[in-house]
Amino acid sequence: MAWALKLPLADEVIESGLVQDFDASLSGIGQELGAGAYSMSDVLALPIFKQEESSLPPENENKILPFQYVLCAATSPAVKLHDETLTYLNQGQSYEIRMLDNRKIGELPEINGKLVKSIFRVVFHDRRLQYTEHQQLEGWRWNRPGDRILDIDIPMSVGIIDPRANPTQLNTVEFLWDPSKRTSVFIQVHCISTEFTMRKHGGEKGVPFRVQIDTFKENENGEYTEHLHSASCQIKVFKPKGADRKQKTDREKMEKRTPHEKEKYQPSYETTILTECSPWPEITYVNNAPSPGFNSSHSSFSIGEGNGSPNHQPEPPPPIADVSHPSELAGGTGRGWASGNLLPTSTPQEAQQWLHRNRFSTFSQLFRNFSGADLLKLTREDVIQICGPADGIRLFNALKGRMVRPRLTIYVCQESQQLRDLQQKHEDGDAVTSTFFVYHAIYLEELTALELTEKLAQLFSISSQQISQIYKQGPTGIHVLISDEMIQNFQDESCFVLDTMKAETTDSYHIILK
């Protein structure tokens, strides 16, 4: 000690107390600066979402919040005391989030009897991925065309009004609700954490996400822009049943730890309380214009405004021309397509119009910068990977102009005219070296007598009502009435000579296949 001065007994007592207090203060500094209280994971766990520091004032820590959101999924037991809770979810499984009105009597009276609007988002927890959010979401959209990151399970949800999802904002949904009534929304997260991991050796840890809820009230103009409350929690998403296995693994690991080690970890809770956080930074993003409503299919939303990243404004889709005028479909030039096929000379706008015309509107945003040549260069494997098996095969066949092979093809020629010409040449004494018969192809899909009648009527340029009966010449020259079953037993690419006979009672004709 540097204190060499001799003091009276009373002063020694005072000195002893001061030293103890001073030592206790020093020991506290060591604990507060430990990795447990101020680790980087604790800093990143703050729900700041692209903000460098939270805007919440210190006095908000102990106040009663107006709303509380409870995710009905257990928290992980392998989380240290000073870290934020972590909850494991299964991909595509519906999880309930209870929307609770936590207001005191007389608090926020302006929303009594009125609806509020909540916006749900699934965003990245890691700062590195937050900075590249737009690129990450675009990459996911490319690999999972037609799918969404976040959906609401409407049949299971209670108390939600006018649920909406923008097809260009894959990670965002919104709805209205009445705080005075019971409200539970069931959400589904369709992406998994490992989809955004740099794949090197396999078995990598998945990246954590955040579920954030921002709630707004109406302003004087009836727009939901006045912020009321925001809360979030940290999640990881696994393939189906993977979350249950991970929870079990964490629980078994904790059971193997000593009681002293267990004290450093927080217990697992049956539900996850979303903690208050700053509102979504780009709060001007909140769009009060009508947005597309929910549909039973993920890929059936019409194109709307906005994007997965608040800063991005998508290009509007090109107008769809009148399909009754092929020249308009090609941008007025008549060169965009030939007979409905996409050409290498088609511009990106013409390619967009071709996609809409051929019922590929779902993928128009994916291919918005593709010219005709770009689309035609795609291989079958490329298209299937981008669009999925069903739509991928359909798009590939449309790009290559592949027609569907008919079920039955027959070839016919008109015997009467051919024989008449041949007999006339014999009567005139002309030498006939060879006879040239012209056959016409008839393609049948339904394999019915009615379909054959209509096709023959088109060949003769008459009405189908003018064909009374169709016969097939059988053994010994008999005439067998054509039926559906007979046509179904025709050999593909059979050749027939047609003979026509006028009906005796009507102005119709009989046709004989020889």
Side-chain angles (χ1 to χ4, degrees), residues 478-489:
I478 64 173
H479 293 165
V480 182
L481 184 65
I482 291 288
S483 65
D484 295 349
E485 188 175 2
M486 180 181 289
I487 294 176
Q488 292 165 9
N489 284 281

Side-chain angles (χ1 to χ4, degrees), residues 115-117 176 216-218 222-226 286 288:
L115 302 178
V116 295
K117 178 179 182 178
L176 304 177
F216 305 86
K217 67 177 181 179
E218 276 186 305
E223 299 173 338
Y224 291 92
T225 56
E226 294 191 21
V286 178
N288 297 287

